[in-house]
Amino acid sequence: MAVRSQPWKPKCHVVAVWILSLLQLFSSVEPVEGFIFPLSSSPSPSPSSLPSSLLVNTQWKLRLDVGLQPGTWMPKRFPGWAESGARLGVDVLVEFTDVPLRQGVSGESLVGPKDSTFQLKVCINDGKESASTFVSERGQQKVIFVDGGWCLQRPTGNVKNAKGSLVKPEGLLRFWLDCPSGAKRNDVEIFPNTRIFFTTGCWDAPVDTQQQDEEYKDVLQQLQQIVDRTRETRQGGETSTGSEQSNNNLLEDLQTFQKMAKDSKKFEQLKERKETLERQLPPLGAAVASNGVQIAPTGSLVIKGSNIPDWLPGSEYLILGTFSTTTTM
């Protein structure tokens, strides 16, 4: 009967650890849900005279959810702000145009270079007035939003979302709207004449996104095949009788180990590719326009925390809340 020598033990231990890791791989294989960028994640902009994006002329419904968020300094700047835990929700319909900012309108460095920033239009709701509404303790209230600007920047590397996960969307979409009327519900307030900044992810190359999605599914299938082969190998070894094991020689053991080691290397490559694709693909629940453009289901809202120009040291932004996006066309 062939006897395995001592040097085999650490190698088998490595394979065993790998087996445990790959059997646990499929506990969560879908892209991370939600998409909220912090202010510190700024990709390099790609200035252009005109936006070359399918996002142009699409309309989207934004649902603002204003209130306390982890890490916000709003209560420190404005004592009592949202301390009850109340939320203020209001909708606004917008359209991304290819019209440059009007002459005399300054850009916003947080959003992007002025020559790459275009007008964001507030649309009429259901053929009626453009004022949005919400219900407070004083009944139905009107909120006025004014046209703003938008810029789609192209990340050159991974950026972190609010959960600390690394992501790399096709585009980092930032824009602003002005709210001259303000809005208040209980102790949650959008102060009058506030400029609200929005940040979210955008995927405006549907063909590329579809190809990535197909590759992602293929990678998952290959990973599953490795998992299945590994399970069959383990089950076959566990059901072998003593007499059957005695007939196995060192060559057979070596062939089995080499096959598993090869699978291990392939598994790690596929796992790395899977994680890369998950960072690049739209998250679950992304809003999809009729032309295939996708916007992440959630994003962040911030306001300026001081009157210091944003290009000077000391400028700050305060987290106002989050927003969700749905398509209208």
Side-chain angles (χ1 to χ4, degrees):
M1 180 180 74
V3 179
R4 288 182 177 177
S5 59
Q6 187 67 22
W8 281 94
K9 290 184 179 181
K11 294 181 181 179
C12 293
H13 174 70
V14 171
V15 173
V17 172
W18 165 71
I19 290 173
L20 291 176
S21 65
L22 72 86
L23 291 177
Q24 296 172 356
L25 173 67
F26 285 81
S27 60
S28 59
V29 297
E30 296 297 337
V32 177
E33 196 165 3
F35 202 100
I36 308 174
F37 283 98
L39 297 176
S40 59
S41 301
S42 298
S44 299
S46 299
S48 61
S49 58
L50 288 174
S52 56
S53 172
L54 292 176
L55 183 63
V56 172
N57 297 328
T58 60
Q59 293 185 359
W60 306 80
K61 182 179 180 181
L62 311 176
R63 174 71 175 179
L64 284 68
D65 181 19
V66 179
L68 288 178
Q69 292 294 128
T72 184
W73 279 35
M74 285 293 289
K76 295 181 180 180
R77 291 288 184 270
F78 309 101
W81 190 87
E83 65 180 4
S84 69
R87 312 290 298 187
L88 191 163
V90 61
D91 298 333
V92 60
L93 186 65
V94 300
E95 179 179 340
F96 294 90
T97 77
D98 58 358
V99 180
L101 289 180
R102 294 187 298 273
Q103 189 173 6
V105 176
S106 60
E108 292 285 354
S109 62
L110 175 65
V111 172
K114 183 177 179 180
D115 60 358
S116 296
T117 303
F118 303 88
Q119 291 184 30
L120 179 68
K121 180 182 177 182
V122 176
C123 303
I124 296 176
N125 291 316
D126 301 324
K128 303 178 183 178
E129 58 184 331
S130 58
S132 301
T133 61
F134 72 98
V135 178
S136 73
E137 67 277 11
R138 300 184 299 276
Q140 181 169 287
Q141 306 293 314
K142 290 184 178 180
V143 185
I144 302 297
F145 291 101
V146 178
D147 295 355
W150 70 277
C151 180
L152 187 61
Q153 302 182 22
R154 303 296 180 181
T156 56
N158 294 325
V159 293
K160 284 186 178 182
N161 62 15
K163 295 181 179 180
S165 302
L166 291 175
V167 291
K168 188 182 179 183
E170 289 178 357
L172 186 57
L173 179 60
R174 282 178 167 156
F175 53 95
W176 81 80
L177 290 172
D178 290 328
C179 183
S181 66
K184 185 175 182 180
R185 180 175 182 271
N186 297 331
D187 54 1
V188 182
E189 183 174 6
I190 300 174
F191 301 109
N193 300 313
T194 294
R195 175 161 290 184
I196 305 174
F197 296 89
F198 302 69
T199 304
T200 191
C202 178
W203 292 260
D204 58 338
V207 174
D208 293 343
T209 302
Q210 178 63 32
Q211 291 175 346
Q212 287 180 328
D213 185 62
E214 292 175 356
E215 182 185 357
Y216 180 72
K217 293 176 181 177
D218 180 65
V219 168
L220 290 183
Q221 184 178 13
Q222 293 184 60
L223 283 167
Q224 186 63 59
Q225 291 173 352
I226 293 177
V227 170
D228 293 340
R229 285 200 301 269
T230 303
R231 284 175 175 161
E232 291 175 0
T233 300
R234 294 185 66 196
Q235 291 173 355
E238 292 172 355
T239 56
S240 298
T241 64
S243 59
E244 290 173 332
Q245 291 179 356
S246 63
N247 294 327
N248 291 333
N249 55 33
L250 183 61
L251 179 60
E252 291 173 336
D253 289 339
L254 178 60
Q255 290 174 339
T256 299
F257 179 80
Q258 288 176 334
K259 180 179 179 181
M260 295 180 69
K262 183 178 180 180
D263 277 350
S264 174
K265 182 178 180 181
K266 180 66 173 177
F267 167 81
E268 293 300 330
Q269 294 173 343
L270 289 170
K271 181 181 177 182
E272 182 178 352
R273 183 57 182 161
K274 167 182 169 291
E275 293 171 350
T276 298
L277 289 170
E278 287 175 350
R279 290 193 293 268
Q280 296 174 345
L281 285 167
L284 297 173
V288 185
S290 58
N291 63 357
V293 173
Q294 299 188 50
I295 292 181
T298 57
S300 64
L301 298 174
V302 301
I303 63 173
K304 290 183 177 180
S306 66
N307 294 324
I308 300 175
D310 56 5
W311 51 269
L312 285 177
S315 61
E316 65 176 4
Y317 295 85
L318 306 177
I319 302 173
L320 185 69
T322 64
F323 73 98
S324 58
T325 305
T326 55
T327 185
T328 64
M329 58 183 297

